[in-house]
Amino acid sequence: MDEKCCIYVVFTRTATTISRIINRVKHDKYTHASLALDRELNHMYSFGRKWARNPFIAKFKHEHLQKGLFKIQKTLPGAVLEIEVTKEQYAKVKAIIDSFVANRELYKYNYLGLVHCLLKTEVSYENRFLCSEFVYHVLHQSGILDLKKARNLVRPQDLYDSLQKMSSCRILYEGDLKKFHLEQMMA
């Protein structure tokens, strides 16, 4: 039997205009997805705003619940899902993320992807990602999740709903992620 490891998918819904529009139009509980390699979420990555107050410049980034856009939110509705994976799957996830980190200047935010996703138009850009595209890309390439659709059509809510159905996944925390961070600090 393979030794088991865990990765974490973090879902959030901020009070930004784009998040509120997605929430209203699609009725999605969560509008942003991130991938973390550790339970404390110290090694959490996604595509998002470079600066908290500027929605027009986004990139691949190392995210922190206590910094940037997440920090300026009064509350941060969200969920942390823990996925049990094999050592080999964990190694693949880490290698893919390490490659993104090492080559971060190659990757861009997929601004047109927002429109294509809402219109359900399949489009693939090699080095452009939305947050959910990135998370799905890593999970799919690591053999953890296959939704049988183009990565640009995967929304954070799709990931949340699909992961919950997996026997290897459990909700570690759901609620105000500002409290999750405090609980982790005190643990």
Side-chain angles (χ1 to χ4, degrees):
M1 175 102 183
D2 287 331
E3 185 179 328
K4 299 293 180 180
C5 301
C6 291
I7 59 168
Y8 302 85
V9 181
V10 181
F11 297 94
T12 54
R13 188 182 75 244
T14 60
T16 64
T17 302
I18 291 171
S19 181
R20 287 194 311 266
I21 290 169
I22 293 169
N23 176 256
R24 286 191 184 119
V25 171
K26 292 293 193 177
H27 307 289
D28 288 356
K29 186 174 186 178
Y30 300 117
T31 57
H32 183 71
S34 308
L35 189 58
L37 296 169
D38 61 304
R39 186 181 186 109
E40 296 75 29
L41 311 181
N42 292 323
H43 303 280
M44 183 169 72
Y45 301 91
S46 192
F47 278 76
R49 292 176 181 207
K50 185 173 182 177
W51 297 292
R53 299 195 188 278
N54 184 345
F56 303 108
I57 300 175
K59 64 177 190 158
F60 172 74
K61 61 188 286 187
H62 183 188
E63 294 185 319
H64 303 274
L65 290 178
Q66 65 277 15
K67 294 182 181 176
L69 180 62
F70 295 147
K71 180 180 181 177
I72 64 174
Q73 303 296 302
K74 289 181 184 175
T75 61
L76 186 58
V80 178
L81 275 60
E82 180 180 68
I83 307 168
E84 192 174 277
V85 298
T86 65
K87 273 179 86 168
E88 290 76 20
Q89 288 171 322
Y90 185 90
K92 285 181 185 176
V93 167
K94 186 172 182 337
I96 294 168
I97 290 174
D98 287 348
S99 177
F100 271 80
V101 170
N103 299 293
R104 69 180 64 217
E105 69 282 349
L106 297 176
Y107 298 103
K108 308 291 183 221
Y109 188 79
N110 188 4
Y111 292 101
L112 285 176
L114 290 170
V115 175
H116 290 298
C117 187
L118 290 173
L119 296 175
K120 298 182 181 176
T121 307
E122 186 176 318
V123 177
S124 180
Y125 302 103
E126 185 177 343
N127 295 328
R128 294 184 177 275
F129 292 84
L130 294 169
C131 63
S132 52
E133 271 186 284
F134 165 72
V135 172
Y136 179 60
H137 171 75
V138 175
L139 295 177
H140 185 257
Q141 294 298 311
S142 302
I144 297 167
L145 181 66
D146 185 358
L147 297 178
K148 308 257 188 267
K149 64 176 164 178
R151 74 176 197 216
N152 79 293
L153 299 180
V154 177
R155 300 189 331 264
Q157 193 65 45
D158 296 330
L159 291 169
Y160 177 79
D161 294 341
S162 297
L163 289 171
Q164 281 193 73
K165 295 174 185 171
M166 293 173 48
S167 62
S168 60
C169 182
R170 73 180 185 101
I171 297 175
L172 185 63
Y173 182 88
E174 191 158 21
D176 184 354
L177 287 179
K178 290 188 174 276
K179 293 178 183 172
F180 171 79
H181 182 69
L182 290 174
E183 287 177 18
Q184 290 295 348
M185 297 284 289
M186 298 175 80

